[in-house]
Amino acid sequence: MRPGRALWIGVLLAPALATMLLFVVWPLLGAFADAFYSFRGLAPDRFAGLTNFQDVLFAEPWRSTALQALRHNLVVFATLLVAQNGLAFLIAFALLHALPLHRLHRVIVFLPVLLSAVIVGALWKLLLHPLFGAVNAALALLGIEGRPWLGDAQTALGSIMLANGWHWAGFPALLFLAAMQRIPREVFEAARMDGAGAFMILRQIVWPLVAQATTIIFTLTFIGSFNWFELPYLMAGLAGSPGGATDVLGLFFYRTAFGSVSSGLQDFGHGSALAVLMFVFLAASSAVALRFLRRREIEI
Amino acid sequence: MKRHTTTLRATIAATLFSLSTILPATAGELTFWTWRQEDRAAYTELFRDFTAANPGIKVNFEAFAPENYNTIASTALAGGKGGDVLQARAYGVLEQFAKTGYYRKLDQASVPELANLPAEALAAETLRADGAVYALPYASQTLGLFINKDVFEKAGLTPPTTWAELQSVGAALKAKGITPIANGTATAWMDEVFAGIFTAPMLGPDFVADILAGRATFEDKRFTGALAHLLELRDLMPQGYTGIDYPTSQQLFLSGRAAMFAGGSFEIANFRKQNPKLNMDFIAPVAMQQGQPRYVAKFFDGGYAVNAQSPNQEDAIKLVRYMGTKAYGDKFAALLGNISPIKGVEIADPLLAKVAQLNAVSIPYIMAVHFRFQSPTGSELLSAGLQKMFAGQATPEQVGADVTAGIATYFTPFQKKP
């Protein structure tokens, strides 16, 4: 490579690299360091060893809140993995069959993915509103009494997951569809000649042959579920209302580190400890899951 | 290659321009940081008066989103940047900034106008550890009951003064298809406000004194009993109240669909802006029995602090001194619809004057004033507990126990209690 070209490539890469180091790596290292300090006001004061980690994991009220938030993240992950991605898989399979208006359906399915979380949150909050919401109005037409979906501990988390599914199902559907389209037509034809029905084809042929897409979707769902913040924040507030029923680790971290407007204080030490624990958990779990899922991938 | 060089130059120029926007103001120019974008016009007028009295000092108004203000301000101040004068929050958050050394200490030698402020206002902007004042208080807030006078008049009813009247008036309003109380419980911090309003007359100053002295905890029957009374209000709140958030509650009141709204005096200016035709009143919460004092809960909202790292200390102090004068307080109250704590301030607005009168029979908004200094704050604990209680997931006794246990992690008088 000519030295001039190498220099030019270096110049082109430098801004991105500098941005990455400045805005991603440096804050990450900063958060990691802050986790080991006690704070005097808003500045690190004394080295505190593992105290912040001990507090977050074992001392009340952090422990109960962290456990509750983690439990909700697990529920969100399991639900989105099965319901949102299962639906996406079925949508992709339907779109694969080039049914009438399938191009239009493909656009419709993917359209919500293009919307920002702020719009989706506001839209669903309005739809689920106990007084003015379309959902309760529709139920009333059927003679069913509506409820405060986001204000009821039994339904609040499910309602936000529903909004999330509406927002994101198009993305895994598109990934599944792309993977399905890579399967040679002959495989389907051979299966049909052998008398396999649609369910058999789906289970025995399509599912194993889209394993690569499944790995990606699983990983993204896992990371997305444990970093879940925008929708619960927009639809249920920083406190995870009602009474913590929608509290997740992302909200708990933000509340702890930065405080809430009218009731909380900034606590960078415990917030950073929480962030480090979340990072380690996500990185380790993703690595193990990837290793396991890669084993079942089949090259076409 | 020439094109590449041009691109590089453009990038460097853009970067330098971006950096210039975060550099401090030049001499003769001050920046004022706030979380209240909606107050821009009023402050522009107030700063025009300041510049007229102090030729050569111009003040630039810069507002940031309220939910991110503390984070933005602390990040800027940590880097030696930020406004020269900043709107500072009170109590615990003030302490965090002051303790870190971000705000300059104010005393009567540098700001003689501190003498114009009552002790309880200065206490809200004082770091308890060194007893020094770090911001000049700008407003007190009172929690009470907003009344839509037109709705009451149309219904042929008068606003309630006792708990029994509240129930009977509420039933009468409901019978006419009007929601008696606009508040829902979906916004956690507003639940603390709601409880602060209706429980103040039940608790009174003796309870506050007992709590601070460690003679009582929040498990005390006076407190849990008051919370139990709040549950009686569920019938008067909007349908699906657990899913009704703060903005919806405001709109229900503003539109006349609800007759009353439990809120703070900080709503007055906003309500007038949103519905200039609104015929409203602000009254003290109801007493349990006729003749008993109807205490309102009161707190101080924040103050004006000087950035300790500001290169324009002298001018910044001049601005804060101006903000401590009666002339400023008079105009502040008139333009912003808030009660300035500066002694002798004249309040021309009749509604605001009434609020000031109600302050004569007040108790501190207890969690904000006394238990927002360490985590978990009393406000966080109480609002979470109240949401559960209103949703039927916790009893008043459980809420009292959880609040006490949370505060006991740092408030020693509670630790002595079994």
Side-chain angles (χ1 to χ4, degrees):
Chain A
M1 193 185 289
R2 284 185 293 124
R5 185 172 165 74
L7 180 68
W8 180 237
I9 290 173
V11 168
L12 287 177
L13 283 178
L17 197 66
T19 308
M20 185 81 178
L21 286 171
L22 191 65
F23 294 109
V24 178
V25 178
W26 182 248
L28 261 177
L29 292 175
F32 191 77
D34 283 351
F36 294 92
Y37 278 85
S38 69
F39 276 66
R40 180 179 158 74
L42 301 168
D45 184 28
R46 278 177 293 106
F47 182 74
L50 295 173
T51 310
N52 290 333
F53 293 94
Q54 276 173 339
D55 286 348
V56 168
L57 290 171
F58 306 113
E60 292 296 352
W62 287 290
R63 182 176 170 274
S64 305
T65 314
L67 280 177
Q68 176 180 253
L70 177 66
R71 223 175 12 249
H72 290 155
N73 280 109
L74 287 168
V75 169
V76 170
F77 170 61
T79 311
L80 296 185
L81 188 70
V82 177
Q84 175 183 293
N85 297 339
L87 179 70
F89 183 78
L90 294 176
I91 290 171
F93 193 61
L95 290 172
L96 183 72
H97 284 80
L99 300 170
L101 298 173
H102 68 280
R103 281 181 201 282
L104 177 68
H105 283 123
R106 201 180 302 176
V107 173
I108 290 171
V109 164
F110 195 69
L111 210 58
V113 178
L114 302 176
L115 299 175
S116 84
V118 177
I119 295 171
V120 174
L123 181 76
W124 277 91
K125 211 174 158 181
L126 207 59
L127 285 171
L128 298 168
H129 197 283
L131 294 179
F132 316 119
V135 172
N136 278 359
L139 288 174
L141 288 177
L142 299 171
I144 303 169
E145 198 184 339
R147 54 196 305 173
W149 301 98
L150 291 169
D152 186 332
Q154 305 294 321
T155 54
L157 191 63
S159 301
I160 303 174
M161 286 192 285
L162 177 71
N164 192 89
W166 181 85
H167 188 197
W168 283 112
F171 185 68
L174 214 67
L175 287 183
F176 277 132
L177 181 62
M180 287 174 190
Q181 284 172 335
R182 286 183 63 218
I183 303 170
R185 279 179 179 277
E186 300 83 58
V187 176
F188 290 113
E189 282 159 14
R192 278 193 207 101
M193 283 173 72
D194 285 346
F199 181 70
M200 181 75 88
I201 290 173
L202 198 68
R203 190 164 165 262
Q204 301 288 354
I205 295 174
V206 177
W207 179 242
L209 290 178
V210 297
Q212 276 186 342
T214 313
T215 303
I216 296 167
I217 291 165
F218 177 92
T219 312
L220 290 178
T221 307
F222 182 75
I223 294 171
S225 301
F226 282 89
N227 281 334
W228 215 39
F229 179 79
E230 292 99 330
L231 275 185
Y233 175 66
L234 292 160
M235 294 177 72
L238 202 51
S241 298
T246 58
D247 203 10
V248 285
L249 288 171
L251 292 177
F252 180 42
F253 156 72
Y254 191 94
R255 243 182 10 246
T256 307
F258 302 112
S260 49
V261 181
S262 303
S263 55
L265 300 168
Q266 297 184 64
D267 182 353
F268 296 136
H270 289 105
S272 299
L274 202 57
V276 169
L277 287 172
M278 283 166 68
F279 177 76
V280 170
F281 171 72
L282 274 179
S285 309
S286 301
V288 171
L290 271 175
R291 202 176 157 80
F292 171 75
L293 288 167
R294 283 264 155 82
R295 279 194 207 150
R296 58 180 288 273
E297 288 178 8
I298 300 163
E299 286 293 331
I300 299 171
Chain B
M1 197 67 193
K2 194 181 170 191
R3 201 173 55 196
H4 297 152
T5 317
T6 314
T7 315
L8 269 177
R9 278 186 186 157
T11 313
I12 292 165
T15 312
L16 287 175
F17 175 76
S18 312
L19 282 174
S20 71
T21 60
I22 57 168
L23 292 175
T26 51
E29 208 172 291
L30 292 173
T31 51
F32 172 74
W33 276 27
T34 174
W35 62 85
R36 293 189 59 84
Q37 174 64 33
E38 61 272 37
D39 294 349
R40 178 181 286 274
Y43 275 107
T44 304
E45 198 175 327
L46 290 162
F47 293 152
R48 204 179 296 139
D49 290 355
F50 171 72
T51 304
N54 297 272
I57 310 176
K58 189 184 158 215
V59 187
N60 299 317
F61 178 95
E62 284 184 27
F64 301 89
E67 60 274 23
N68 299 325
Y69 181 75
N70 292 355
T71 310
I72 291 169
S74 60
T75 309
L77 292 167
K81 307 273 187 267
D84 298 291
V85 175
L86 300 103
Q87 195 161 14
R89 299 197 192 270
Y91 308 109
V93 178
L94 178 279
E95 282 215 341
Q96 284 199 307
F97 279 74
K99 227 188 269 180
T100 318
Y102 292 157
Y103 294 156
R104 177 181 163 156
K105 262 185 207 178
L106 306 177
D107 53 34
Q108 290 206 20
S110 58
V111 183
E113 289 71 16
L114 287 178
N116 296 344
L117 289 139
E120 57 169 345
L122 292 173
E125 304 299 332
T126 298
L127 175 60
R128 293 168 305 168
D130 65 6
V133 176
Y134 284 84
L136 186 127
Y138 62 78
S140 70
Q141 300 295 350
T142 308
L143 303 180
L145 212 49
F146 282 93
I147 299 291
N148 188 321
K149 285 159 85 172
D150 288 343
V151 170
F152 268 89
E153 206 174 295
K154 222 171 175 180
L157 297 163
T158 50
T161 58
T162 63
W163 193 261
E165 278 178 30
L166 179 65
Q167 300 288 350
S168 60
V169 165
L173 286 164
K174 264 181 96 171
K176 290 178 190 293
I178 301 160
T179 304
I181 299 173
N183 300 67
T185 63
T187 305
W189 69 268
M190 202 48 199
D191 296 341
E192 187 197 350
V193 171
F194 186 81
I197 291 165
F198 285 109
T199 60
M202 300 180 214
L203 298 173
D206 291 347
F207 175 75
V208 178
D210 287 350
I211 284 283
L212 297 179
R215 289 190 295 269
T217 69
F218 289 99
E219 292 180 88
D220 190 287
K221 281 215 160 55
R222 285 173 287 178
F223 187 73
T224 55
L227 295 187
H229 278 300
L230 291 183
L231 291 174
E232 295 166 22
L233 299 178
R234 287 181 296 185
D235 286 343
L236 308 183
M237 289 156 77
Q239 190 194 341
Y241 60 87
T242 57
I244 301 290
D245 60 6
Y246 175 47
T248 305
S249 305
Q250 289 175 308
Q251 292 309 317
L252 287 174
F253 177 72
L254 286 167
S255 63
R257 287 182 62 158
M260 292 174 273
F261 175 82
S265 52
F266 48 85
E267 306 277 7
I268 293 174
N270 177 39
F271 279 177
R272 281 179 173 157
K273 209 177 284 176
Q274 289 203 49
N275 182 2
K277 289 181 184 164
L278 183 69
N279 186 13
M280 65 178 165
D281 196 6
F282 186 85
I283 63 169
V286 296
M288 286 312 285
Q289 306 290 335
Q290 195 74 50
Q292 284 178 344
R294 292 165 64 189
Y295 293 104
V296 292
K298 191 177 97 174
F299 65 100
F300 291 89
D301 215 1
Y304 302 122
V306 173
N307 178 350
Q309 298 289 315
S310 165
N312 307 310
Q313 293 289 320
E314 206 179 313
D315 290 350
I317 287 288
K318 272 186 192 164
L319 178 61
V320 171
R321 287 193 59 186
Y322 157 70
M323 290 166 141
T325 60
K326 183 182 169 298
Y328 178 88
D330 287 343
K331 201 156 186 180
F332 172 91
L335 291 175
L336 289 166
N338 271 299
I339 296 176
S340 164
I342 296 169
K343 291 172 194 167
V345 159
E346 286 157 30
I347 300 170
D349 182 280
L351 189 58
L352 217 54
K354 188 174 177 192
V355 176
Q357 229 170 19
L358 293 178
N359 283 343
V361 186
S362 66
I363 64 167
Y365 183 37
I366 189 164
M367 294 305 183
V369 175
H370 296 292
F371 296 106
R372 263 194 211 168
F373 293 89
Q374 269 168 284
S375 290
T377 65
S379 298
E380 288 171 309
L381 294 161
L382 180 59
S383 52
L386 287 168
Q387 262 192 343
K388 284 185 188 165
M389 186 184 86
F390 277 110
Q393 294 173 299
T395 62
E397 288 73 22
Q398 282 167 328
V399 176
D402 287 349
V403 170
T404 303
I407 291 175
T409 56
Y410 51 83
F411 186 59
T412 43
F414 281 7
Q415 290 163 4
K416 291 174 197 160
K417 303 278 164 188

